[in-house]
Amino acid sequence: MSDKKTALVISAHSADFVWRAGGAIALHQKLGYEVTVVCLSYGERGESAKLWKQAGMTLEKVKAERRTEAENAAAALGVNDIRFFDVGDYPLDLGRETKDRMVDVIREVQPKWMMSHSKWDPYNTDHMNTTQFALECRMIAQAWGHNPGQKVLGAPQLYLFEPHQTEQMEWKPNVFLDITDVWDKKWAAIQCMQGQEHLWHFYENVAENRGNHFRRNSGGQSGGRNAKYAEGFQAIFPQTVDELV
């Protein structure tokens, strides 16, 4: 058994991992994890309005621009490995071929934990379909009868990162992660996403608000940690523990 610490983030579009999990990625890379990010699409059709407003824009130009942004952001976060499936968006093509491809990555990475989107998102069904996809691929990766001979997956936690309009998504955080020490890396990664500049300060505000929630839930004025920035997550599966904290 390898003691290597690994993690896997499954992002519907090429910017999602930055806004919603950039702090977690940078922090765990700093803690010695090897974090792999899979972008299922570039968000070329549905999340690239700024680029499409430019004269002479083409689909391939948009894809190339979004890929460059994502690669620059991944470098800013210290991502170990970023992969692009390029299965289109609005909607994503998440058929059996894509599932088998994703299962191969999951079994290769053997993540200690995984991350993806909220379970419900009526504004962008690519997001919630990605979460269902991640759950199904996690299940398949655990099946001994799928590609016998490959190393099967254990039982990594799946964390759902915060959606854009939280109250509309039936998403309730039960984990807050202090990202203050790596906020500079997340902010640098956010600024790489030139095609969606209108979201930069929105997600800065989210991180500040979640920092407040971290402080409150870690003890508040009775001795809580003074976290300035945090990210919230919803854990899907129970934790197995030897001691309660």
Side-chain angles (χ1 to χ4, degrees):
M1 294 288 290
S2 173
D3 292 328
K4 183 170 68 173
K5 296 188 292 186
T6 58
L8 177 63
V9 178
I10 303 176
S11 181
H13 312 106
S14 60
D16 293 329
F17 74 94
V18 178
W19 318 122
R20 312 180 202 286
I25 292 168
L27 179 63
H28 283 82
Q29 283 285 163
K30 185 177 179 180
L31 292 173
Y33 280 72
E34 295 181 1
V35 182
T36 297
V37 175
V38 173
C39 297
L40 297 177
S41 80
Y42 299 108
E44 64 270 16
R45 294 199 292 185
E47 298 192 350
S48 302
K50 182 179 177 180
L51 293 172
W52 281 113
K53 292 176 183 178
Q54 299 176 17
M57 188 55 62
T58 67
L59 187 65
E60 291 309 312
K61 286 181 180 179
V62 173
K63 285 184 179 183
E65 188 69 28
R66 295 310 302 268
R67 179 173 183 135
T68 297
E69 290 178 359
E71 289 175 336
N72 289 341
L77 296 172
V79 169
N80 180 69
D81 185 17
I82 184 167
R83 308 186 192 192
F84 301 93
F85 275 23
D86 191 15
V87 297
D89 68 321
Y90 280 59
L92 297 168
D93 180 359
L94 300 176
R96 188 63 200 227
E97 182 179 344
T98 307
K99 287 179 184 176
D100 286 345
R101 188 177 173 189
M102 188 76 250
V103 171
D104 285 344
V105 173
I106 293 172
R107 284 187 166 181
E108 173 195 342
V109 173
Q110 292 290 318
K112 305 295 184 185
W113 50 261
M114 299 169 59
M115 279 186 180
S116 199
H117 296 261
S118 59
K119 293 173 98 174
W120 173 245
D121 189 340
Y123 296 93
N124 191 326
T125 58
D126 278 0
H127 293 160
M128 67 182 189
N129 290 341
T130 295
T131 301
Q132 182 63 26
F133 169 82
L135 284 166
E136 291 180 2
C137 290
R138 179 185 182 277
M139 175 189 73
I140 297 167
Q142 292 174 316
W144 286 78
H146 176 81
N147 290 345
Q150 286 184 339
K151 182 180 179 181
V152 298
L153 182 68
Q157 181 63 260
L158 178 65
Y159 293 103
L160 308 186
F161 41 61
E162 185 159 5
H164 186 63
Q165 299 188 60
T166 309
E167 295 82 1
Q168 307 301 317
M169 310 305 188
E170 302 176 9
W171 178 90
K172 184 177 180 180
N174 50 27
V175 177
F176 291 109
L177 180 69
D178 183 359
I179 63 168
T180 306
D181 286 347
V182 293
W183 171 251
D184 59 333
K185 293 183 179 181
K186 179 167 183 176
W187 182 240
I190 284 174
Q191 293 178 85
C192 292
M193 312 315 291
Q194 294 289 326
Q196 292 176 285
E197 187 175 350
H198 62 289
L199 294 178
W200 291 6
H201 288 291
F202 176 89
Y203 281 101
E204 180 182 28
N205 290 338
V206 170
E208 290 173 339
N209 288 336
R210 294 309 180 192
N212 177 280
H213 295 161
F214 185 103
R215 294 193 297 273
R216 181 67 179 85
N217 285 280
S218 65
Q221 296 182 26
S222 300
R225 186 192 302 175
N226 188 28
K228 186 175 181 181
Y229 300 100
E231 288 174 341
F233 302 97
Q234 181 180 11
I236 291 294
F237 300 100
Q239 295 184 357
T240 54
V241 301
D242 295 309
E243 181 180 353
L244 297 178
V245 295

